[in-house]
Amino acid sequence: MKLIEKTVTQLAALLEAGEVTRAEVVEAYLERIASVEEAVAAFLYVNEDRARKQARLMDEAAEGGAAVLGGVPVALKDNICTKGIPTTCGSRILEGYRPPYSATAAVRLEKAGFIMLGKTNCDEFAMGSSTENSGYHPTANPWDLRRVPGGSSGGSAAAVAAFEVPCALGSDTGGSIRQPASFCGVVGLKPTYGLVSRYGLVAFASSLDQIGPITRDVADAAAVLSVIAGHDPLDSTSARVKPVDYTHALVPDVDGLTAGVVTELSGEGVDPEVRERVGRAVEVLTELGVEVEECSLPHARYALDMYYIIAPAEASSNLARYDGTRYGYRHGVRRLAGTGEAGEAGEAGPDGVEGPGGGDSGGPGGSGRPGERLSLLDMYVATRREGFGAEVKRRIMLGTYVLSAGYYEAYYLKAQKARTLLRQDFERAFARYDFLVSPTSPTVAFPLGDRVDDPLRMYMADLCTIPANLAGIPAISVPCGFAQGLPVGLQLMGPAFSEELLLKVAFAYEQHTEHHTKKPPLLGVKRR
Ligand code: GLN
């Protein structure tokens, strides 16, 4: 088996045994990235030099007799802050921005010896289901390059599926880890709200956002989660839970567990072939001794409506900070990346933008006319008009509307009340069942360009994933077969902090199936 096809767990074992060096591992992936990126376009930034250097230093330390941990490559969704390394959230408004600090999840991975290979493409500020809302370029699905990888963490899922990296982090506000994982035939886990620190995750909808792993199998999801989970004093919503080694949960013993198949998420709106594959997965669970019944979450039918009020409301507040004064793009100015310096509005700043779309490659930077004098308000307006894409503007308008006087009660407050009812539905279901089952996405990956002009159809892609975010509970997507030659995902949802249970069930399922071993028909894998 080629090095790039090894899982995180396998690579870690090889590295620990000294059978391969960090430099060899990093080179193998960089070579793979170089050979497939033109087709897949999963990355916004490849962290080549730093990754090579880190690998070399770790190898040298190991040769010197030090106990060196890890050396496994990882990629991060570009809305996860990395100190000194471009972090754009897929938005032109943050083109060239290099954060002065790293997200806690990124710091924890680095401490555990992971080597950060790059930042992956995503829908702008994680708003979308296809990665087509990226301000830079779309990403292709490795299973069919004419199709979307899902979103918003489409770059992370595509990179893992295309063997450009063995694991990646994504963020999930309404399904953005699970849905792309499902579209790309990999494993995606959205943890319980508060289990993984959001410090340094650029906020979209703060009551829903969670960082989580995207991997090629369940054991790797457990391994990565073990590193990033746990209390963080820097995030006030971080749960006070003791560190857990989730790999201990990987025992395929699910005999006697009970599960509910959620009627509202498995019927209308779900592609018949997807339903059939998920039905077969449920049969496998039954064969393993899980007692399965149909179960109803009556308010789940309103989940999309709640989400598209609550998420935009929070986003409209979170995105108020991009006004051209503190960081990122400012109308009429090209900022000097990394220095925090910016000229006055109207001056053309020095051309020092590095990274994706940097330099003179277009984008909004430098569009102001020399000598132009603007009021502060005009500067804000022009900055936001030029820096944000259409979907982000739509969300800001929606959010501002539902929070404004007169509409707050009718929309925002009502959505919050409905959210409580949905949470109660879940509580009732979990009093009866250990976990719940549904498809991850109602369809397989759709063609690029198919839904970009139809926001409502795009929003439908999150039908099955959004309820878990609204309830704050964990959910995992695992590959469960193929429809029209494209991967289908099975979603398992559990009560808050039931990650061990979900991983155990997912692992048991995986052990009895072979879907996760299938490889995309992609682009001549070079043997090294
Ligand atoms: N697709 C959903 C949205 O557009 C969810 C995104 C996410 O989970 N970040 O909001």
Side-chain angles (χ1 to χ4, degrees), residues 309-318 395-413 416:
I309 292 170
I310 294 168
E314 295 185 18
S316 69
S317 164
N318 277 326
R395 305 281 177 112
I396 292 172
M397 287 193 286
L398 268 174
T400 310
Y401 181 80
V402 300
L403 289 176
S404 53
Y407 298 106
Y408 179 94
E409 284 79 10
Y411 293 103
Y412 183 72
L413 198 62
Q416 291 290 20

Side-chain angles (χ1 to χ4, degrees), residues 408-466:
Y408 179 94
E409 284 79 10
Y411 293 103
Y412 183 72
L413 198 62
K414 201 178 223 170
Q416 291 290 20
K417 287 180 179 169
R419 183 178 186 177
T420 302
L421 294 174
L422 178 63
R423 274 176 185 269
Q424 291 168 348
D425 286 354
F426 274 111
E427 275 162 28
R428 269 190 291 274
F430 289 131
R432 202 179 156 122
Y433 305 106
D434 294 307
F435 64 96
L436 301 177
V437 178
S438 79
T440 305
S441 163
T443 66
V444 291
F446 42 89
L448 281 155
D450 204 33
R451 300 194 186 185
V452 262
D453 297 323
D454 189 346
L456 287 182
R457 269 182 73 223
M458 190 69 95
Y459 297 171
M460 288 300 291
D462 307 307
L463 181 75
C464 309
T465 44
I466 278 176

Side-chain angles (χ1 to χ4, degrees), residues 119-203:
K119 306 295 293 287
T120 54
N121 197 16
C122 56
D123 287 297
E124 185 174 10
F125 288 104
M127 297 173 188
S129 308
S130 68
T131 310
E132 292 166 293
N133 293 337
S134 166
Y136 297 92
H137 53 73
T139 292
N141 189 317
W143 291 89
D144 178 349
L145 298 174
R146 290 159 307 180
R147 290 181 185 256
V148 303
S152 61
S153 313
S156 288
V160 172
F163 299 97
E164 294 179 83
V165 75
C167 63
L169 294 188
S171 70
D172 193 312
T173 305
S176 281
I177 289 174
R178 290 160 285 159
Q179 185 258 22
S182 151
F183 278 16
C184 292
V186 293
V187 174
L189 170 66
K190 180 205 98 70
T192 304
Y193 184 77
L195 181 65
V196 176
S197 170
R198 288 185 298 113
Y199 181 74
L201 170 66
V202 178

Side-chain angles (χ1 to χ4, degrees), residues 112-418:
F114 282 85
I115 299 178
M116 213 282 286
L117 275 199
K119 306 295 293 287
T120 54
N121 197 16
C122 56
D123 287 297
E124 185 174 10
F125 288 104
M127 297 173 188
S129 308
S130 68
T131 310
E132 292 166 293
N133 293 337
S134 166
Y136 297 92
H137 53 73
T139 292
N141 189 317
W143 291 89
D144 178 349
L145 298 174
R146 290 159 307 180
R147 290 181 185 256
V148 303
S152 61
S153 313
S156 288
V160 172
F163 299 97
E164 294 179 83
V165 75
C167 63
L169 294 188
S171 70
D172 193 312
T173 305
S176 281
I177 289 174
R178 290 160 285 159
Q179 185 258 22
S182 151
F183 278 16
C184 292
V186 293
V187 174
L189 170 66
K190 180 205 98 70
T192 304
Y193 184 77
L195 181 65
V196 176
S197 170
R198 288 185 298 113
Y199 181 74
L201 170 66
V202 178
F204 161 12
S206 311
S207 77
L208 302 160
D209 301 339
Q210 266 294 286
I211 293 177
I214 295 180
T215 55
R216 279 202 292 274
D217 69 15
V218 175
D220 283 2
V224 176
L225 182 66
S226 304
V227 174
I228 61 175
H231 182 250
D232 178 14
L234 297 173
D235 170 3
S236 61
T237 60
S238 166
R240 293 190 176 274
V241 285
K242 291 211 183 71
V244 173
D245 183 348
Y246 292 96
T247 60
H248 292 325
L250 303 174
V251 280
D253 173 20
V254 294
D255 195 17
L257 291 177
T258 55
V261 178
V262 184
T263 317
E264 290 78 3
L265 307 181
S266 310
E268 205 192 322
V270 178
D271 180 280
E273 274 193 72
V274 168
R275 214 182 301 161
E276 197 266 336
R277 296 301 173 280
V278 172
R280 268 201 251 159
V282 169
E283 281 167 26
V284 172
L285 292 175
T286 313
E287 283 159 24
L288 294 173
V290 179
E291 218 174 282
V292 189
E293 284 174 16
E294 274 228 16
C295 122
S296 172
L297 299 173
H299 298 89
R301 74 179 88 241
Y302 306 113
L304 269 174
D305 310 65
M306 299 173 209
Y307 176 85
Y308 278 99
I309 292 170
I310 294 168
E314 295 185 18
S316 69
S317 164
N318 277 326
L319 270 56
R321 70 192 63 166
Y322 306 101
D323 58 10
T325 48
R326 280 163 292 195
Y327 33 65
Y329 171 68
R330 175 188 293 185
H331 169 77
V333 177
R334 184 176 289 285
R335 281 188 46 171
L336 188 60
T339 64
E341 280 174 29
E344 291 296 315
E347 279 176 23
D351 186 0
V353 184
E354 280 178 41
D360 276 321
S361 63
S367 61
R369 289 175 297 278
E372 185 185 17
R373 283 273 154 228
L374 287 180
S375 73
L376 191 58
L377 183 63
D378 288 342
M379 190 279 284
Y380 291 162
V381 170
T383 296
R384 290 166 70 81
R385 187 182 56 230
E386 292 158 9
F388 285 140
E391 182 62 26
V392 171
K393 287 176 188 162
R394 185 177 298 124
R395 305 281 177 112
I396 292 172
M397 287 193 286
L398 268 174
T400 310
Y401 181 80
V402 300
L403 289 176
S404 53
Y407 298 106
Y408 179 94
E409 284 79 10
Y411 293 103
Y412 183 72
L413 198 62
K414 201 178 223 170
Q416 291 290 20
K417 287 180 179 169

